[in-house]
Amino acid sequence: MNLEQLNTQLFINGEWTEALSGEVMSVINPTNRSLIASVAKADQNDVAKAYEAAAQAFLNWYAMGWKKRSLFIEEFKSKIKQNKEWLAQIDSINSGNPIKGMLRDIDSIVNRIEQSIHFAAAVHGSTVESSGVMNLHYTRFEPFGVVARIIPFNHPVLFAATKIIPPLIMGNTVILKPSDYTPLSALALGEFIKDIFPPGVVNIITGDAVAGQAIISHPKIKRIGFTGSANTGKKILQEAAKAGIKNISMELGGKNPMIVFPDADVSIAAKHALTGMGYGSTQGQSCGSNSRIFVHQDICVEFTKELSELTEQLVIGDPLETKTDIGPLITEQQMQRVLSYIEVGISEGARLIQGGKRPKDGVGNKGYFVTPTIFTHVTQNMRIAQEEIFGPVTSILTWNDYEQMIHEANDIEYGLTASIWTQNLKWAHQTAHKLKAGYIWMNTSAKHFEGLPFGGYKNSGIGREESIDELISYCETKVVNLNLEE
Ligand code: NAD
């Protein structure tokens, strides 16, 4: 596939433009370590330029009203639908994610855009009888103005295309910063945006942490939606506070428990443990992955055997092939990080029963591949039970004391997702209520259901997305009081 036709400059004010910094960054194919492209690397002057363009575009965009804005967004959605294979291939090459998962991501884009348009009609102010029957008190939702979205590498086009929509439909103009590792599909979207949206409404700034920090430190960008690691999230909150009081929402990491009760259907649970890891789409580089599995001791042997057999069948290889389940990790550094966690697990006394190494031959030997890994005999205090590895490493912990298991499931810095496997409704609901996590599945995993708010407790984030909550979060609430009684 020829990616040379992609524009690799910054997209500001409806035009492709060189970075004022004059710098570029290399984009590497993680499957074979080859250079795919050199892409503009923005600094604070580029961010300032993008801000001016977005600020200039704001009033006209807002004045259109959501119905007219939704026509532009509909056209954007159609263009993405028409280019489904092309966009999925770009992501598969750039991120190493299996093509089948990236094709599913395009379907999710279409659904989520439709959903945002649907919800826009439901975002409206209200009148409140606050000070007597004659007076009028009402609320209005108003856009912030220029907002920014900073996104990670694991679902590049899904995040680039969907995270700009809630702010846009509410009347904001947007600066989007894709991951330094996976900017290519966002740049492909830039071509569509150029043809569809008025100049300045969407601006795309490629770059690394320097560009991200410039967005955070810009005194006039008051609303930022960040998706990425908790560590970067902490830095962002500190930096932002130096520039002013900012409204920042965060979708961060997870170390999510999958809880298997003794009455669970072991085969179905084992199958979902793989889907729940993000195999078939992200090699375990998923914020919602069920990387800690609490299995009841009565079924632990059976569950582990099933999981191990299914894991053995996963196809590791070229992400562009439809049969591939596991592609490479995103970078050399990420691969080394995952391999070092595997060493840590072994040295802490966990039992490595599967994977844990780089493939010896074939395509897997060239890129940043790690075989899907299972540890048993994992205990709560081990680092592989506590820290987000963000790779193909599953830790199995056994339990027989329910309260102790719940305590351990919650005794962790994260609280993004959890899944519960039982036929017993009472156990399922009691457990769901006790878990400190924002998104819980019972007898299923991984799927984000349309319209339901996604986000985390504790260090997994601030705020909720993928729902009407996300649209409202891109608005300020204004109250207007009219005195008619005097
Ligand atoms: P990351 O935090 O390293 O980078 C995310 C983005 O932030 C990138 O665009 C990066 O260039 C930018 N950035 C880096 N340093 C910055 C700084 N100091 N200031 C501003 N921007 C900065 O994350 P990653 O490695 O790309 O992604 C993996 C992480 O994202 C995992 O922890 C994962 O769990 C999380 N994630 C969360 C969700 C969710 O919905 N909760 C979804 C996907 C990924």
Side-chain angles (χ1 to χ4, degrees), residues 1-51:
M1 185 192 190
N2 182 6
L3 295 179
E4 274 164 22
Q5 57 185 284
L6 283 177
N7 206 310
T8 54
Q9 297 172 308
L10 306 177
F11 181 71
I12 298 177
N13 206 22
E15 290 173 352
W16 295 102
T17 170
E18 292 294 339
L20 294 169
S21 69
E23 287 189 60
V24 292
M25 59 186 188
S26 300
V27 179
I28 303 295
N29 181 335
T31 303
N32 56 24
R33 303 171 190 237
S34 65
L35 177 72
I36 313 176
S38 294
V39 168
K41 189 174 169 192
D43 68 8
Q44 70 273 20
N45 295 322
D46 298 298
V47 169
K49 189 172 156 188
Y51 171 80

Side-chain angles (χ1 to χ4, degrees), residues 151-153 177 180 212-213 226 228-229 232 251-253 287 388 390:
I151 57 173
F153 69 80
K177 196 200 92 57
D180 14 341
Q213 277 165 17
F226 172 71
S229 64
T232 308
E251 291 284 344
L252 308 176
C287 55
E388 185 187 46
F390 220 55

Side-chain angles (χ1 to χ4, degrees), residues 255-256 273 277 279 283-285 289-293 307 326 329 334-335 337-343 345 350 352 354-357 370-376 378 383-385 387-396:
K255 185 78 179 177
N256 310 292
M277 278 300 291
Y279 295 158
Q283 298 75 246
Q285 298 168 124
S289 70
N290 48 222
S291 50
R292 284 190 301 156
I293 309 188
L307 181 62
I326 307 274
L329 299 177
Q334 180 65 8
M335 179 181 74
R337 186 167 172 273
V338 170
L339 291 170
S340 76
Y341 266 110
I342 291 166
E343 289 304 315
L352 176 71
Q354 191 140 5
K357 51 186 185 299
V370 175
T371 53
T373 303
I374 304 174
F375 276 108
T376 62
V378 177
R383 285 182 59 202
I384 59 164
E387 296 173 22
E388 185 187 46
I389 298 174
F390 220 55
V393 183
T394 304
S395 295
I396 298 182

Side-chain angles (χ1 to χ4, degrees), residues 54 57-66 69-70 73 120 141-147 164-174 201 471 474-475:
F58 169 66
L59 279 181
N60 283 342
W61 180 245
Y62 174 41
M64 279 182 198
W66 77 266
R69 289 194 293 270
S70 74
I73 293 170
F141 287 122
E142 294 184 353
F144 282 82
V146 179
V147 308
I164 61 175
I165 301 302
L168 284 177
I169 201 152
M170 297 321 296
N172 301 278
T173 53
V174 180
V201 167
L471 273 66
Y474 282 91
C475 302

